[in-house]
Amino acid sequence: MAHLLSTSCSLNIPPSCKKPKCLLVNQCSSSGFPASFSLPTSTSRSKMLILHGKGPKRSSTIYAMAVSLSQESKAQPGSSFPQETGEAGSPKKVMVIGGDGYCGWATALHLSNRNYEVAIVDNLVRRLFDHQLGLDSLTPISSIHNRIRCWKSLTGKDIQLHIGDICDFEFLAETFKSFEPDAVVHFGEQRSAPYSMIDRSRAVFTQQNNVIGTLNVLFAIKEYRDECHLVKLGTMGEYGTPNIDIEEGYITITHNGRTDTLPYPKQASSFYHLSKVHDSHNIAFTCKAWGIRATDLNQGVVYGLRTDETAMHDELCNRFDYDGVFGTALNRFCVQAAVGHPLTVYGKGGQTRGYLDIRDTVQCVELAIANPAQRGEFRVFNQFTEQFSVNELAALVTKAGEKLGIEVKTVSVPNPRVEAEEHYYNAKHTKLIELGLKPHLLSDALLDSLLNFAIKYKDRVDPKQIMPSVSWRKIGVKPKTVAV
């Protein structure tokens, strides 16, 4: 069990989530992340979180913190997956890096519910981005401490929490030695293409944070848990939009009479996507050089809000981004329809991508963990279930809105990105299906549910955040600030 390095905290927990056996010790702000810490840039890399408490001036340096972990977890009714075990028959230990984020939080709860022993590692910087850019989740989200404490009270299951920056190798090494993971699920990266294109400092931060963080994870596995399986969240955006079919990671080609199987060509379209390409190359190299076992999940665009676990209580609710920086296409369209704003189609709207429900994200991650790569193997799975163009999504939302009595209009806006707006797109995605993925395809019922969620929380929508504000061509060196 990780050491608790801080000594006091006051948490506001709803009465329905209070139980005597639930204990969390940490010094924190009421928002769930440190009251002040700096965003690392090219000239400043924060290696610790400095927390400033109320009352007398003081600060505490925290390398790691955790809630206690018991072995008293019981299987949830209806679980179709066998319990995974680690050494000596104990529950399999999974470290979820970036476990406070959109995909990470849903995955951490899902794995815990399936009787994995889970530890979340996160520096909570995603919440800081919202404050810096004047953004907010459509759905109210609780602090990570309240979330974990509520999960414990509802299920009796512990999730460890380690707060720190994986770019600080000392912190990451101590976390590895403390938790001893059998698998690492790595969501802990700056995941927005528009964010990486705001200005020079955020482009540099994205690449430094993502590439160095992943390198540190690879070194930690090599030094402290060489049998550990890395499950890394990649992106379908690494491939771009080639005029040939997209294979799952590798392509067999014949050139001048000779044949070879090579990594599929990469055509990244932002500094964020480029950081993912660098990650893939680094992971492939270390699998070959060090014998690391790794699965790269090249994920499509995720939509949806609820999983079985996040729907258990309001305190467990996931974030739902609708803005032009972090919001994904379908989620944004549902919010725009709910508030009477025309759906904003970029350019011609023929941009086609792979999409998947967040319930399938957590299912794919579990399948990868339960069926690990071999020593020295670098597997690539294309993680999506359906393909849609932007125009097709807009038509689906328009139709769903009409059923709810909402008049939905669509408008074409100048495309802020540099991308093909009409193109061929046919990506293979069979490997996860072969492992047992049962997709939740986009249905009228799901669209109805998303629209109703958007309507429920439409008073929280900031209309100023709907239109795109980041231009691929206009990015400059001057730091971009938010006008209040």
Side-chain angles (χ1 to χ4, degrees):
M1 188 179 95
H3 295 293
L4 301 176
L5 300 184
S6 59
T7 58
S8 65
C9 179
S10 175
L11 296 178
N12 296 318
I13 307 299
S16 60
C17 283
K18 289 186 177 178
K19 282 195 176 180
K21 64 180 178 180
C22 179
L23 174 65
L24 180 65
V25 182
N26 173 44
Q27 184 180 18
C28 61
S29 70
S30 60
S31 60
F33 58 90
S36 70
F37 63 101
S38 61
L39 173 67
T41 66
S42 59
T43 59
S44 171
R45 178 82 227 178
S46 174
K47 293 192 175 183
M48 296 168 284
L49 303 184
I50 307 300
L51 283 71
H52 302 281
K54 295 181 179 180
K57 291 185 178 180
R58 69 175 189 270
S59 65
S60 300
T61 301
I62 297 185
Y63 288 96
M65 60 187 176
V67 293
S68 61
L69 185 67
S70 71
Q71 302 295 331
E72 299 174 356
S73 300
K74 297 180 180 179
Q76 292 294 301
S79 174
S80 60
F81 290 79
Q83 177 175 332
E84 289 296 316
T85 57
E87 297 176 2
S90 61
K92 196 167 190 176
K93 299 170 111 179
V94 181
M95 177 184 290
V96 181
I97 301 175
D100 187 47
Y102 175 55
C103 292
W105 175 241
T107 299
L109 292 189
H110 178 80
L111 294 175
S112 178
N113 206 26
R114 299 298 192 190
N115 298 316
Y116 290 84
E117 189 173 324
V118 177
I120 287 175
V121 177
D122 205 301
N123 64 357
L124 309 183
V125 75
R126 175 64 188 86
R127 296 176 185 248
L128 179 62
F129 293 160
D130 278 354
H131 285 264
Q132 289 181 326
L133 298 175
L135 310 176
D136 202 358
S137 165
L138 176 71
T139 50
I141 54 173
S142 297
S143 72
I144 185 62
H145 309 91
N146 289 2
R147 283 174 154 186
I148 290 176
R149 192 168 183 177
C150 185
W151 177 249
K152 166 73 172 179
S153 75
L154 292 170
T155 66
K157 297 177 183 294
D158 286 297
I159 294 178
Q160 286 193 26
L161 174 62
H162 301 262
I163 293 182
D165 188 346
I166 64 169
C167 289
D168 174 3
F169 188 75
E170 182 180 356
F171 159 77
L172 184 63
E174 289 303 314
T175 304
F176 258 76
K177 288 186 285 186
S178 169
F179 184 63
E180 298 182 332
D182 300 302
V184 171
V185 180
H186 185 12
F187 292 111
E189 300 195 318
Q190 193 294 101
R191 56 94 170 166
S192 164
Y195 186 91
S196 75
M197 303 299 294
I198 291 175
D199 54 33
R200 183 207 64 84
S201 66
R202 289 178 172 95
V204 171
F205 169 77
T206 297
Q207 296 224 347
Q208 179 173 328
N209 180 80
N210 294 1
V211 177
I212 293 178
T214 297
L215 273 173
N216 279 349
V217 171
L218 293 168
F219 272 97
I221 291 173
K222 178 181 183 292
E223 291 298 316
Y224 307 113
R225 296 292 290 179
D226 63 349
E227 289 292 332
C228 181
H229 176 210
L230 173 61
V231 179
K232 168 69 165 56
L233 190 75
T235 172
M236 289 296 296
E238 292 185 33
Y239 299 122
T241 54
N243 199 37
I244 59 174
D245 289 356
I246 297 174
E247 306 296 331
E248 297 201 62
Y250 298 90
I251 186 171
T252 300
I253 62 173
T254 299
H255 179 64
N256 291 341
R258 301 186 68 83
T259 300
D260 202 355
T261 298
L262 302 169
Y264 196 94
K266 312 287 189 178
Q267 299 183 74
S269 59
S270 72
F271 289 120
Y272 155 74
H273 290 104
L274 283 164
S275 76
K276 291 290 196 178
V277 171
H278 301 329
D279 285 343
S280 295
H281 289 157
N282 286 335
I283 297 169
F285 171 73
T286 56
C287 287
K288 182 187 297 184
W290 302 341
I292 284 177
R293 58 181 83 224
T295 301
D296 203 3
L297 298 175
N298 280 346
Q299 183 168 255
V301 183
V302 186
Y303 58 81
L305 176 66
R306 295 165 69 97
T307 62
D308 289 345
E309 292 78 22
T310 62
M312 289 170 62
H313 194 283
D314 287 347
E315 287 285 308
L316 304 179
C317 186
N318 209 346
R319 68 179 305 119
F320 191 94
D321 297 306
Y322 64 89
D323 58 87
V325 177
F326 290 101
T328 55
L330 183 57
N331 288 355
R332 286 193 299 108
F333 283 173
C334 287
V335 171
Q336 290 169 7
V339 299
H341 191 286
L343 308 188
T344 52
V345 171
Y346 294 173
K348 296 178 180 179
Q351 303 94 318
T352 302
R353 303 290 186 267
Y355 288 80
L356 77 162
D357 191 304
I358 193 167
R359 292 173 294 179
D360 292 335
T361 292
V362 302
Q363 191 184 167
C364 290
V365 171
E366 184 183 5
L367 285 168
I369 294 170
N371 301 274
Q374 301 299 312
R375 284 298 300 264
E377 181 184 11
F378 178 55
R379 301 187 304 186
V380 180
F381 297 161
N382 290 346
Q383 183 170 302
F384 69 96
T385 57
E386 298 176 275
Q387 293 181 180
F388 297 102
S389 71
V390 175
N391 284 331
E392 289 170 335
L393 290 179
L396 288 170
V397 173
T398 299
K399 180 181 176 182
E402 290 173 351
K403 291 181 178 179
L404 295 177
I406 303 173
E407 182 183 0
V408 181
K409 297 181 180 180
T410 299
V411 61
S412 174
V413 300
N415 194 345
R417 304 185 179 212
V418 177
E419 62 184 359
E421 295 178 3
E422 295 177 318
H423 56 85
Y424 176 81
Y425 196 83
N426 184 38
K428 306 292 179 62
H429 56 110
T430 61
K431 293 182 180 179
L432 285 162
I433 298 293
E434 291 167 359
L435 287 180
L437 172 64
K438 295 178 172 55
H440 297 83
L441 301 181
L442 186 58
S443 64
D444 291 344
L446 178 65
L447 281 169
D448 181 82
S449 173
L450 283 175
L451 279 170
N452 276 302
F453 263 108
I455 292 169
K456 177 181 177 181
Y457 293 109
K458 68 179 182 179
D459 290 343
R460 290 175 54 86
V461 174
D462 179 359
K464 298 192 299 295
Q465 303 301 337
I466 290 178
M467 295 299 291
S469 59
V470 179
S471 170
W472 264 231
R473 296 189 187 279
K474 295 180 180 179
I475 183 174
V477 298
K478 184 178 180 181
K480 190 171 182 180
T481 57
V482 178
V484 180

